[in-house]
Amino acid sequence: YYTHSINQNPDWLNPYVNRGNAYASKDDYKSALSDHTKAIQIDQNSLSALRSRGFVYHLSGNYDSALADYELALKIDPNDALTYFMRGHTNVNKGDFDIALIDLNKAIQLDPNNGNSYFPRGNAYSAKGDQAKAIRDYNRAIEINPNDYSTFHNRGLIYNSVGRYDLAIRDYSEAIDINPKLSSIYHHRG
C-alpha cells in the first residue's frame, strides 16, 4: 500500500513515514531510516518524520543521532510533549538520567495524563537511587495504563530491593497475568 502511494506521488511524505514505521516494526532499521530520511528531505519541518527517524535511531542504539533528530523537532515545536518524552526516554537508555529527568518533567508538565512519560522517569529515579519517587511514578503510570506489565515488573523490582517482598510478589504476579510469556518475571517472583 505505502509503496503504491509513493509510486503514485513520490513527493508525499506520509507514505514514507508510515512505510518507515512499518519497516521499524519488523526491525528493518536500514529501510526505515531510508524512508524517514526521504520524508525529511521532502519536508525538513515534519515533526512526524523527525520523531520517527529519531525513534529508529533509538531502537538501533544510535542515541546521539536520535537526540539530534529530537532536538530538530523541538526547534520546530518547543511545546511538543511527545518529543520531550522520546528525548527523555533516549537519555534514560543512554544513562544521562539528570538530562532525561528535565525532558520527562517537561513532557509531564505539557501532558500530565499521558502515562508514557512516567515509566521512563521512574526508571531514571530508580537508577539515581530515589526509590520513593520511582514508585510514585510507577504508581501514576499504572493508574493511567493498568495493562503495562513492564511498570508492574519494575515496581516489583524496587519493592524487592527495599524488602517489601509481599508487594514485590503482588506486582510480579500482576505482570505475569498481563504477559505470561515473559520468563524473567517468573524468575523474579520465584
Side-chain angles (χ1 to χ4, degrees):
Y1 172 77
Y2 299 124
T3 302
H4 177 74
S5 294
I6 290 167
N7 289 337
Q8 293 296 313
N9 188 352
D11 293 326
W12 186 28
L13 73 91
N14 289 342
Y16 287 103
V17 172
N18 293 333
R19 188 174 71 178
N21 292 340
Y23 284 136
S25 72
K26 296 179 180 183
D27 299 330
D28 182 355
Y29 302 137
K30 182 178 178 183
S31 297
L33 289 171
S34 176
D35 274 359
H36 291 143
T37 298
K38 178 62 177 171
I40 292 165
Q41 289 169 348
I42 293 169
D43 181 0
Q44 64 186 2
N45 292 316
S46 170
L47 287 177
S48 65
L50 286 164
R51 284 190 308 237
S52 293
R53 188 174 73 177
F55 186 60
V56 173
Y57 281 133
H58 171 102
L59 291 172
S60 64
N62 188 344
Y63 299 133
D64 291 335
S65 292
L67 294 171
D69 277 351
Y70 299 148
E71 187 65 32
L72 291 172
L74 287 170
K75 286 180 181 175
I76 296 164
D77 184 354
N79 292 308
D80 184 52
L82 179 57
T83 303
Y84 280 108
F85 154 71
M86 295 173 85
R87 190 170 74 174
H89 186 226
T90 297
N91 275 312
V92 168
N93 283 27
K94 191 176 176 187
D96 290 338
F97 304 115
D98 291 327
I99 295 169
L101 287 171
I102 292 168
D103 283 339
L104 295 166
N105 288 337
K106 182 70 172 180
I108 290 168
Q109 174 193 346
L110 292 168
D111 190 2
N113 294 318
N114 184 336
N116 290 335
S117 296
Y118 292 95
F119 178 74
R121 190 173 78 171
N123 292 346
Y125 282 134
S126 178
K128 289 176 60 68
D130 193 336
Q131 306 309 352
K133 285 184 179 179
I135 289 172
R136 184 191 71 209
D137 274 356
Y138 293 148
N139 289 343
R140 182 67 178 130
I142 289 168
E143 285 175 24
I144 295 170
N145 183 5
N147 295 314
D148 182 5
Y149 71 89
S150 298
T151 307
F152 283 103
H153 181 242
N154 283 21
R155 189 175 70 177
L157 291 171
I158 291 176
Y159 282 140
N160 187 61
S161 74
V162 298
R164 298 293 311 268
Y165 303 118
D166 56 329
L167 295 175
I169 290 170
R170 184 193 69 196
D171 276 356
Y172 296 147
S173 295
E174 188 67 36
I176 288 167
D177 287 345
I178 296 167
N179 185 359
K181 295 181 181 179
L182 194 63
S183 62
S184 65
I185 300 173
Y186 290 97
H187 171 75
H188 289 124
R189 185 177 72 173

